């Protein structure tokens, strides 16, 4: 009698365990966070500071001071033969020189999102589609030729500050993973 009772108990335990594990295995996998996966595939490429001359009527009237960083596809970066920072700086300078990007009489009308999209599209056209995912504007200022002369005349005392076109984002280097 006890053998029969223990055999029945054993069958119940095995049946419950089999049902439990089959339900666990048939449950859909946890949702994949697409945003986290996308960010994992990107790498921050710090840009160099750029000084782009503004030419009007054949004369230099001032300079744009800029610093841009990029979130780029890790796999496509590996395929580049030239250093990516220098390559993006060259492409960015080529894109910005001679182009009337900002109306200095009305710097408040500057559309940052259009500017970023245009840079992203141009760089992707030159470097390869999907290479640049996001453009980060760290600094975009303008300083006129007269302000530079004034700063030189003052010998560094109370210098005239450049005109802020965009209040840039602070880009920090990613912290290395600790194991």
């Amino acid at each position: 009698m006890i053998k029969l009772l223990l055999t029945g108990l054993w069958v119940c335990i095995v049946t419950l365990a089999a049902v439990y594990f089959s339900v666990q295995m048939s449950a859909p996998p946890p949702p994949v966070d697409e945003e986290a996966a996308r960010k994992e595939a990107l790498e921050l490429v710090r840009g160099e500071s750029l000084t782009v001359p503004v030419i009007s009527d054949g004369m230099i009237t001032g300079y744009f001071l800029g610093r841009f960083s990029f979130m780029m596809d890790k796999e496509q970066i590996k395929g580049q033969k030239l250093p990516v920072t220098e390559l993006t700086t060259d492409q960015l300078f080529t894109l910005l020189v001679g182009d009337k990007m900002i109306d200095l009489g009305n710097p408040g009308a500057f559309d940052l999102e259009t500017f970023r999209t245009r840079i992203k599209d141009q760089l992707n056209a030159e470097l390869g589609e999907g290479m640049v995912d996001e453009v980060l504007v760290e600094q975009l200022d303008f300083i006129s030729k007269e302000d530079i002369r004034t700063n030189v005349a003052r010998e560094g005392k109370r210098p005239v500050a450049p005109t802020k076109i965009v209040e840039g984002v602070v880009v920090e280097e990613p912290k290395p993973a600790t194991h």
Side-chain angles (χ1 to χ4, degrees):
M1 181 77 169
I2 291 195
K3 278 184 166 182
L4 185 61
L5 188 60
L6 290 175
T7 304
L9 185 61
W10 173 251
V11 168
C12 287
I13 291 172
V14 169
T15 305
L16 287 174
V19 168
Y20 175 77
F21 285 113
S22 66
V23 168
Q24 289 297 323
M25 297 305 281
S26 68
V32 177
D33 187 4
E34 291 180 22
E35 184 66 21
R38 184 184 70 84
K39 286 187 176 185
E40 187 66 30
L42 300 176
E43 181 175 323
L44 175 68
V45 175
R46 296 289 307 250
E48 297 175 328
S49 294
L50 290 176
T51 304
V52 180
V54 177
I55 301 172
S56 179
D57 297 326
M59 297 178 61
I60 294 177
T61 58
Y63 297 91
F64 282 113
L65 310 172
R67 183 176 179 101
F68 305 89
S69 292
F70 307 94
M71 294 301 292
M72 301 179 90
D73 187 282
K74 286 181 185 178
E75 293 303 315
Q76 289 188 0
I77 289 174
K78 290 178 186 174
Q80 293 295 318
K81 294 180 176 122
L82 297 173
V84 177
T85 301
E86 286 78 4
L87 190 62
T88 55
T89 300
D90 176 61
Q91 291 295 330
L92 191 59
F93 196 85
T94 302
L95 172 67
L96 298 177
V97 169
D99 194 358
K100 188 111 173 146
M101 307 169 293
I102 302 168
D103 178 13
L104 294 175
N106 188 11
F110 178 68
D111 184 9
L112 180 60
E113 286 309 310
T114 302
F115 183 68
R116 284 182 181 168
T117 302
R118 191 161 152 226
I119 290 173
K120 176 183 167 183
D121 293 344
Q122 289 289 331
L123 286 174
N124 280 333
E126 292 293 325
L127 301 175
E129 196 57 44
M131 178 93 161
V132 177
D133 185 71
E134 186 177 353
V135 176
L136 306 169
V137 179
E138 294 181 58
Q139 172 191 6
L140 186 58
D141 301 334
F142 174 79
I143 188 162
S144 70
K145 195 172 174 182
E146 290 76 28
D147 290 344
I148 294 170
R149 286 187 181 137
T150 302
N151 287 345
V152 169
R154 291 182 181 179
E155 297 176 352
K157 298 175 185 155
R158 295 183 304 128
V160 176
T163 304
K164 285 246 181 255
I165 304 295
V166 173
E167 201 60 48
V169 297
V170 177
V171 177
E172 296 179 13
E173 289 293 330
K175 294 180 176 65
T178 57
H179 297 282

